[in-house]
């Protein structure tokens, strides 16, 4: 969601010089840090630790049975596979949209730019039923696609489409500021040295946006893995075929299988942590890149 | 393809490449963003205005709207206070573990909404840590309004802090230090110096936080219990209506949420344009050295 901050990633270094001795001058450090830690603990850390502690009350056989049953394994395959495809599509089209928004002029550009954030603002359940209305057999697009043998709703294709919708802003909003800041002089130099436009893109422009592109890709992927609201309406939710992992957790909860739900949720939480670390590392790389360049 | 363009303009593509790329990008936006949005409003008005209004005047829909407003009215101010406190201590001071704290603030973004709901069930549910105690004192948190509010707070937790931290870091401490040296107390400094500087970022964070708070589905769905007229928020009501094949009614409620999203985007864009204009104006104040200023940034 850093992607959504006001357009340009603000340079942290600008303030570094004035931060040094400020602890003595500015009041409120203990108060604000104390409140931050208290609120963070109450809302996030203690409830999350409840999940981990609950997991430890399971025997390892129970835990294993819950997270590795065929139905759950099928849901991992779908969730990760569909998220990966959606994130790849988002990386390609996100880069294209960011490129067009930064480099070209066309009527209605500001509206398109604003519209890119729609998936952040539109409630996921609304997105889910809207996409279903479009792609179901009797829907706006579905009625033309279905006779051609293309089914995009109530099967894994629907999952991918919902996840593309959800992840779109992440790539655009991370790549856009980098493209805006990139120096045209480098491109001019490349052209003067005899590179054609395609070579310039591959060897000069692409390497400079690659860290941001990867960050956006990882963010879209992470978001897609946890996504629930937009997917369940369009997926059809057939066990072993089009049932995503978050829905497996809900299913277990509805059968009062708290232990099973907790075990699968722990796997998802571990995955979230891992992706968060990867995204942090990528952002660090991106900052170093832009700092050096 | 480049032989032509090379002679004219060095750093852009041949016109046909530009038009093709723009057309493909716009087609993608049209298919994935415009059409779904249009579908919501079209489906909602399919049976005319009267059916639309009837769907919204139904008591269950009305109580869902009220619960959604109440939830946002609690969750957004809570996260606003937290966001300001967290941004103040993270952006204005250096301390050990700061990077780790920033990561923890971001954590709720990467947790699946379903997992977010589940953790509160594990804490406050009948079999949870505090379940027996709560039952003995006749307090309901899960499958009741407090659970919905808690889950919403969790899901929208980082929004405002995330907007403010980079903004306050970029602005540095110089102005606040000057105010303190001139005799202002901490509260006056915040109110008269910091707040005017961060107001656009603050507004932006609040409207995004609000949109997500009103629209949250997964986390709320786990803790709500789906009791009609009592623990149903608007997104949950949309789901119930949709699963009962009351398509027009479902899309009528959904269109209110879609309208909220459109308004959010509009406010966001205005805020962003004003912010950019102010930044530009600020950069142009010393006219003799804008390049130097650019270098410094």
């Amino acid at each position: 969601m850093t992607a959504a901050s006001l357009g340009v990633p603000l340079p942290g270094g600008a303030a570094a010089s004035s931060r040094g001795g400020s602890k003595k001058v500015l009041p409120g450090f203990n108060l604000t840090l104390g409140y931050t830690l208290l609120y963070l603990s109450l809302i996030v850390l203690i409830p999350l630790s409840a999940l981990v502690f609950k997991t430890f009350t399971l025997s390892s056989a129970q835990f294993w049975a819950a997270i590795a049953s065929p139905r759950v394994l099928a849901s991992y395959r779908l969730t990760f596979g569909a998220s990966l495809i959606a994130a790849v599509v988002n990386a390609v089209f996100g880069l294209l949209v960011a490129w067009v928004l930064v480099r070209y002029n066309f009527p209605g550009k500001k509206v398109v730019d604003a519209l890119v954030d729609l998936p952040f603002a539109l409630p996921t359940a609304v997105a889910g039923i809207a996409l279903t209305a479009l792609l179901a057999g009797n829907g706006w697009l579905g009625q033309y696609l279905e006779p051609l043998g293309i089914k995009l709703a109530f099967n894994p294709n629907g999952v991918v489409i919902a996840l593309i919708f959800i992840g779109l802003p992440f790539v655009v909003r991370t790549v856009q500021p980098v493209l805006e800041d990139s120096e045209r002089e480098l491109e001019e130099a490349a052209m003067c040295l005899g590179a054609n436009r395609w070579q310039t893109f591959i060897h000069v422009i692409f390497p400079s946006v690659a860290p941001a592109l990867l960050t956006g890709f990882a963010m879209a992927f992470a978001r897609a893995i946890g996504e629930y609201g937009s997917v369940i309406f369009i997926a059809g939710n057939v066990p072993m075929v089009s049932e995503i992992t978050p829905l497996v957790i809900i299913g277990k909860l509805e059968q009062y299988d708290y232990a099973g739900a907790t075990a699968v949720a722990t796997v998802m939480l571990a995955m979230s942590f891992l992706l968060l670390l990867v995204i942090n590392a990528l952002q660090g790389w991106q900052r170093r890149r832009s700092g050096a360049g | 393809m480049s032989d032509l363009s090379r002679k004219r303009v060095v750093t852009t593509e041949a016109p046909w490449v530009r038009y093709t790329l723009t057309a493909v990008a716009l087609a993608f936006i049209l298919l994935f963003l415009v059409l779904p949005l249009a579908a919501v409003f079209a489906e909602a008005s399919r049976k005319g205005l009267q059916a639309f209004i009837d769907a919204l005047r139904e008591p269950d829909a009305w109580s869902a709207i009220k619960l959604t407003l109440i939830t946002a009215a609690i969750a957004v101010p809570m996260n606003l206070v937290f966001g300001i406190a967290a941004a103040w201590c993270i952006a204005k001071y250096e301390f050990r573990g700061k990077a780790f704290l920033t990561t923890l603030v971001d954590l709720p973004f990467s947790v699946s909404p379903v997992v977010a709901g589940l953790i509160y069930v594990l804490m406050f549910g009948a079999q949870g840590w505090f379940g027996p105690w709560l039952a003995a004192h006749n307090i309901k948190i899960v499958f009741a309004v407090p659970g919905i509010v808690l889950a919403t707070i969790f899901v929208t937790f980082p929004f405002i802090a995330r907007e403010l931290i980079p903004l306050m870091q970029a602005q540095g401490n110089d102005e606040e230090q000057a105010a303190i040296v001139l005799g202002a107390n901490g509260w006056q400094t915040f109110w008269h110096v910091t707040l005017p500087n961060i107001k656009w970022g603050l507004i932006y964070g609040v409207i995004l936080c609000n949109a997500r708070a009103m629209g949250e589905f997964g986390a709320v769905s786990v803790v709500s219990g789906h009791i009609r007229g009592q623990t149903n928020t608007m997104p949950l009501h949309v789901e119930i209506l949709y699963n009962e094949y009351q398509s027009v009614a479902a899309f009528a409620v959904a269109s209110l949420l879609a309208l909220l999203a459109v308004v959010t985007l509009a406010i966001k864009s205005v805020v962003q344009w004003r912010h950019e204009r102010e930044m530009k104006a600020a950069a142009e104040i010393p006219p003799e050295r804008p390049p130097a200023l650019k270098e410094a940034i």
Side-chain angles (χ1 to χ4, degrees):
Chain A
M1 189 53 69
T2 35
S5 61
L6 286 171
V8 194
L10 293 154
S17 58
S18 61
R19 261 191 239 145
S22 57
K23 203 177 253 182
K24 293 155 204 138
V25 183
L26 280 188
F29 176 68
N30 290 331
L31 176 72
T32 52
L33 182 66
Y35 183 74
T36 302
L37 291 176
L38 177 73
Y39 191 77
L40 183 72
S41 305
L42 287 179
I43 300 290
V44 179
L45 299 181
I46 295 174
L48 279 180
S49 66
L51 181 73
V52 177
F53 279 114
K54 177 85 181 174
T55 311
F56 281 127
T57 63
L58 307 179
S59 72
S60 58
Q62 269 177 315
F63 182 74
W64 194 248
I67 66 164
S69 73
R71 186 169 165 185
V72 179
L73 287 179
S75 84
Y76 297 147
R77 273 196 295 276
L78 174 67
T79 301
F80 287 99
S83 300
L84 194 66
I85 298 171
V88 168
V89 172
N90 273 329
V92 173
F93 282 93
L95 177 63
L96 176 67
V97 170
W99 177 267
V100 167
L101 283 175
V102 172
R103 292 296 176 105
Y104 304 150
N105 273 317
F106 53 90
K109 185 166 140 171
K110 278 192 164 179
V111 177
V112 173
D113 192 17
L115 209 61
V116 167
D117 279 333
L118 181 71
F120 283 154
L122 193 70
T124 51
V126 178
I129 63 170
L131 289 170
T132 312
L134 287 177
L135 298 173
N138 57 354
W140 290 13
L141 299 174
Q143 58 182 321
Y144 304 110
L145 295 173
E146 208 120 291
L148 304 174
I150 306 171
K151 274 198 70 151
L152 295 179
F154 311 123
N155 60 14
N157 294 340
V159 180
V160 173
I161 288 182
L163 295 180
I164 292 174
F165 175 86
I166 287 302
L168 175 67
F170 289 96
V171 175
V172 180
R173 291 301 184 227
T174 41
V175 170
Q176 206 175 5
V178 177
L179 276 179
E180 271 163 5
D181 285 353
S182 78
E183 292 163 52
R184 292 285 181 104
E185 288 87 344
L186 288 178
E187 292 169 39
E188 282 167 21
M191 299 303 262
C192 294
L193 292 170
N196 65 30
R197 196 62 195 149
W198 178 243
Q199 287 169 323
T200 310
F201 179 79
I202 288 296
H203 296 291
V204 177
I205 301 170
F206 189 76
S208 75
V209 300
L213 188 64
L214 255 181
T215 308
F217 170 83
M219 285 171 145
F221 182 67
R223 173 71 205 266
I225 286 190
E227 179 55 23
Y228 173 71
S230 59
V231 173
I232 55 158
F233 293 100
I234 201 172
N237 306 327
V238 182
M240 305 294 294
V241 178
S242 60
E243 188 182 46
I244 54 169
T245 309
L247 186 65
V248 168
I249 297 176
I250 299 247
K252 285 182 184 290
L253 270 180
E254 277 168 359
Q255 294 160 8
Y256 301 102
D257 177 9
Y258 286 84
T262 308
V264 178
T266 306
V267 172
M268 290 207 73
L269 189 66
M271 199 59 214
S272 310
F273 273 121
L274 197 69
L275 281 167
L276 190 65
L277 289 178
V278 170
I279 291 170
N280 269 358
L282 283 171
Q283 280 173 331
W285 181 34
Q286 190 187 336
R287 263 195 298 275
R288 280 196 302 281
R289 259 299 179 80
S290 58
Chain B
M1 102 187 166
S2 60
D3 270 356
L4 260 172
S5 63
R6 198 188 299 175
K7 281 168 203 152
R8 281 185 230 141
V9 197
V10 189
T11 58
T12 192
E13 292 74 30
W16 72 266
V17 178
R18 279 197 311 245
Y19 295 139
T20 315
L21 290 180
T22 311
V24 173
L26 289 182
F28 183 75
I29 297 271
L30 181 78
L31 268 179
F32 275 90
L33 299 180
V34 180
L35 272 183
L37 192 61
V40 175
F41 293 110
E43 291 287 322
S45 55
R46 209 177 50 195
K47 290 204 178 130
L49 191 65
Q50 197 52 47
F52 178 83
I53 292 171
D54 286 348
L56 296 181
R57 286 181 55 180
E58 197 223 356
D60 287 342
W62 190 231
S63 77
I65 293 172
K66 267 193 295 197
L67 181 58
T68 296
L69 292 177
I70 291 170
T71 306
I74 301 172
V76 175
M78 294 271 290
N79 284 337
L80 175 64
V81 173
F82 163 74
I84 292 172
W88 185 269
C89 75
I90 289 174
K92 301 287 182 192
Y93 305 96
E94 285 300 329
F95 54 93
R96 280 182 64 185
K98 189 164 109 162
F100 185 60
L101 181 62
T102 315
T103 307
L104 285 182
V105 169
D106 264 348
L107 187 59
F109 273 150
S110 34
V111 174
S112 170
V114 171
V115 177
L118 175 67
I119 59 178
Y120 290 106
V121 174
L122 293 178
M123 289 254 297
F124 302 115
Q127 308 182 350
W129 281 3
F130 302 108
W133 187 88
L134 290 169
H137 291 78
N138 212 9
I139 303 170
K140 279 207 81 159
I141 291 186
V142 167
F143 308 133
V145 176
I148 293 175
V149 173
L150 273 173
T152 306
I153 291 177
F154 181 96
V155 172
T156 57
F157 185 87
F159 274 87
I160 297 171
R162 228 23 264 167
E163 289 307 322
L164 293 184
I165 291 168
L167 197 62
M168 279 165 75
Q169 273 178 342
Q171 269 154 2
N173 292 355
D174 297 349
E175 293 180 32
E176 281 85 357
Q177 280 168 353
I180 297 285
V181 168
L182 290 171
N185 65 31
W187 181 246
Q188 288 169 324
T189 307
F190 172 74
W191 194 254
H192 295 290
V193 178
T194 310
L195 201 58
N197 276 338
I198 59 169
K199 62 172 185 276
W200 297 130
L202 199 67
I203 296 171
Y204 183 78
V206 166
I207 55 164
L208 275 183
C209 182
N210 179 62
R212 183 71 197 267
M214 290 190 170
E216 178 50 31
F217 178 75
V220 170
S221 160
V222 175
V223 294
S224 102
H226 298 82
I227 308 165
R228 272 193 156 190
Q230 285 180 38
T231 62
N232 242 1
T233 61
M234 285 166 79
L236 297 179
H237 195 59
V238 169
E239 184 199 18
I240 289 184
L241 291 172
Y242 190 80
N243 287 342
E244 287 173 352
Y245 300 102
Q246 301 190 42
S247 175
V248 171
F251 277 101
V253 180
S255 71
L256 287 187
L257 289 166
L259 195 66
L260 169 78
V262 172
V263 170
T264 301
L265 290 186
I267 298 175
K268 196 217 95 185
S269 302
V270 171
V271 165
Q272 205 168 341
W273 295 332
R274 293 194 70 148
H275 178 79
E276 272 164 20
R277 210 183 310 150
E278 275 185 16
M279 294 285 275
K280 226 175 254 173
E284 278 163 9
I285 288 171
E288 67 273 20
R289 41 180 276 256
L293 222 140
K294 221 177 174 185
E295 288 288 283
I297 291 167

